[in-house]
Amino acid sequence: MSMFTFVTAYALKSDKERSSKKKPDAQGRSDPQTSDEERWIVCRQCMQRLTRPSERTSINGSHQHTFANPSGIVFEIGCFAMVRGCSFIGPPSYEFPWFAGHSWQIAICSTCQTHLGWLFKGQAGTQFCGLILDHLKEIDAPT
Ligand SMILES: [Zn+2]
């Protein structure tokens, strides 16, 4: 097995809200549109603020992508234009291009070192972060 299996499984989208449903809400609603301005997406492990819902971006037509690594571990990632609080490990690699024409670096939480995803850089200078949705949590943050 020398290649990452490239699974762009749009059909797996149904459990995307799994991570944000636990929050007690007076209305019991899970609509993420309600107060995007005040919400943060944080590291599930240490609650460090990483990005905002408004930073969600679509790459190749979709915000969410599903990949499997050579060990068969499936990662569901969401693409974000900008993140903070992450450290990037190692030199950019083109070895297993998950997104054509983009190098990647591993992104970890700078506070608790949890593996959060990858930073992808395109040749035109574009870059975005693919964060593992299971390692994130969306919270309300009063300003
Ligand atoms: Zn963390």
Side-chain angles (χ1 to χ4, degrees):
M1 285 250 248
S2 59
M3 296 270 288
F4 278 43
T5 313
F6 205 112
V7 194
T8 322
Y10 296 90
L12 289 177
K13 271 187 170 178
S14 55
D15 54 354
K16 70 177 173 185
E17 283 164 318
R18 180 176 43 183
S19 56
S20 57
K21 267 195 174 151
K22 293 276 147 57
K23 187 171 58 67
D25 187 317
Q27 305 280 314
R29 55 202 291 195
S30 56
D31 181 5
Q33 305 291 350
T34 334
S35 55
D36 267 8
E37 302 279 304
E38 294 158 15
R39 297 176 79 86
W40 280 91
I41 291 167
V42 301
C43 170
R44 172 169 284 219
Q45 200 70 29
C46 71
M47 303 296 282
Q48 180 185 204
R49 293 174 179 188
L50 300 170
T51 186
R52 286 178 178 275
S54 55
E55 297 295 336
R56 285 189 179 120
T57 183
S58 280
I59 305 297
N60 298 338
S62 180
H63 163 66
Q64 193 171 335
H65 295 262
T66 303
F67 298 107
N69 74 2
S71 315
I73 299 170
V74 173
F75 296 99
E76 281 182 71
I77 65 169
C79 298
F80 295 89
M82 222 162 69
V83 299
R84 42 177 264 178
C86 288
S87 302
F88 304 108
I89 300 178
S93 171
Y94 284 94
E95 222 170 316
F96 305 105
W98 285 9
F99 293 98
H102 287 72
S103 67
W104 55 268
Q105 283 173 283
I106 289 173
I108 62 167
C109 175
S110 59
T111 302
C112 71
Q113 323 289 299
T114 296
H115 175 211
L116 291 175
W118 298 265
L119 173 69
F120 297 99
K121 281 184 189 166
Q123 271 130 7
T126 53
Q127 67 174 56
F128 61 94
C129 237
L131 299 180
I132 301 166
L133 298 175
D134 273 351
H135 293 184
L136 307 177
K137 193 173 157 76
E138 195 173 317
I139 60 163
D140 288 320
T143 43

